[in-house]
Amino acid sequence: RMLTRLPGTHRMAQILLRQRFAEDALTRAISEKNVTQYIILGAGWDSFSVRCPALVSQLRVFELDHPATQFAKRTQLSERGFSLPANVTFVPIDFESERIGERLLASGFDPKQTTFVTWMGVTYYLHEETVWAVFKELAQTCQAGCVIAFDYASKPEYDKLSPKQHKRTRYFWRMVDIGMRIIGEPFRTLFNTQQLHERFSREAFTLSDDLTVGIFSQRLTQEERGYFHPAGRTRIALVSHSGLV
């Protein structure tokens, strides 16, 4: 309700701009890397499959999420007169007990086709070891290589803040922690950006972009940005892995 009343707030801007970042990168990857498959990891209410017919027509799309969420989404789409294209596959998965690679392969995913992955709005709710396990499994499953667009919450560097900023930042994160716990979705992982980059290097991933949503918005024209004013500590990044073949 708050987002509906205040659509220009930084949270709504983050949601829309991170998706623009991912889909711009997907468009480039189709032409530059011959991407033919698209995985939307934790797809939720992402409307890509009915919102972007020109891109969907060039891809095999796999939406991964919990079965209950997918059922609710299918119901909403049907009630609004939308039908999913034949090349869109919903892959039900329990991320706590099932492996992404196994579920993809069982759903017709071709590991020998170059793949793009979008993973937005998820990493901060997972334990750090789970996040890295997902990256590793994607690299192993996408044998012809993959590009992954994702977002993460950056860990505050308190030692670089003034006393006033230090106090304000600690208060902000305390309120975020309380609020997310109340709604049953506690934040579990914040990454130090430099350490994240170093880990990607060790895991044989190539990092090509990592920036705040606010900085990304500056790449867009004023008409494209509209009246949105993104803020906060959410970062969006793009990494790739060459695969196994």
Side-chain angles (χ1 to χ4, degrees), residues 59-122:
L59 300 163
R60 180 75 191 276
V61 181
F62 297 87
E63 293 198 17
L64 277 69
D65 213 330
H66 192 278
T69 303
Q70 292 185 331
F71 177 78
K73 182 175 181 176
R74 284 182 179 273
T75 301
Q76 292 289 332
L77 288 172
S78 177
E79 290 177 352
R80 286 160 173 74
F82 291 103
S83 58
L84 288 170
N87 55 326
V88 175
T89 301
F90 273 33
V91 182
I93 184 170
D94 183 338
F95 290 106
E96 297 295 335
S97 60
E98 297 179 289
R99 295 185 59 179
I100 292 169
E102 291 178 355
R103 295 298 299 127
L104 280 170
L105 294 173
S107 302
F109 178 81
D110 185 350
K112 296 184 179 180
Q113 297 291 321
T114 310
T115 302
F116 191 96
V117 182
T118 289
W119 194 21
M120 296 292 179
V122 179

Side-chain angles (χ1 to χ4, degrees), residues 191-225:
F191 285 103
N192 174 281
T193 297
Q194 181 177 343
Q195 293 174 359
L196 180 71
H197 294 182
E198 292 170 353
R199 178 72 182 269
F200 274 128
S201 180
R202 293 197 300 273
E203 300 291 348
F205 283 89
T206 299
L207 178 79
S208 55
D209 225 344
D210 186 341
L211 66 166
T212 66
V213 175
I215 291 175
F216 171 68
S217 72
Q218 295 172 14
R219 296 180 179 178
L220 307 176
T221 66
Q222 182 60 49
E223 183 179 4
E224 289 173 319
R225 284 197 303 270

Side-chain angles (χ1 to χ4, degrees), residues 75-186:
T75 301
Q76 292 289 332
L77 288 172
S78 177
E79 290 177 352
R80 286 160 173 74
F82 291 103
S83 58
L84 288 170
N87 55 326
V88 175
T89 301
F90 273 33
V91 182
I93 184 170
D94 183 338
F95 290 106
E96 297 295 335
S97 60
E98 297 179 289
R99 295 185 59 179
I100 292 169
E102 291 178 355
R103 295 298 299 127
L104 280 170
L105 294 173
S107 302
F109 178 81
D110 185 350
K112 296 184 179 180
Q113 297 291 321
T114 310
T115 302
F116 191 96
V117 182
T118 289
W119 194 21
M120 296 292 179
V122 179
T123 61
Y124 14 91
Y125 302 118
L126 304 177
H127 295 291
E128 184 172 349
E129 60 269 24
T130 303
V131 174
W132 287 111
V134 170
F135 279 119
K136 290 179 181 179
E137 184 153 10
L138 287 170
Q140 292 169 358
T141 303
C142 302
Q143 297 178 14
C146 61
V147 182
I148 307 170
F150 70 101
D151 69 339
Y152 69 95
S154 60
K155 186 179 298 184
E157 297 182 76
Y158 290 109
D159 59 328
K160 296 182 181 180
L161 300 178
S162 68
K164 185 176 181 180
Q165 291 173 323
H166 187 286
K167 182 177 180 180
R168 186 167 62 238
T169 301
R170 281 199 178 280
Y171 176 78
F172 169 79
W173 281 111
R174 186 162 62 250
M175 292 300 100
V176 168
D177 181 63
I178 292 171
M180 299 310 293
R181 289 180 184 280
I182 288 173
I183 65 173
E185 295 185 343

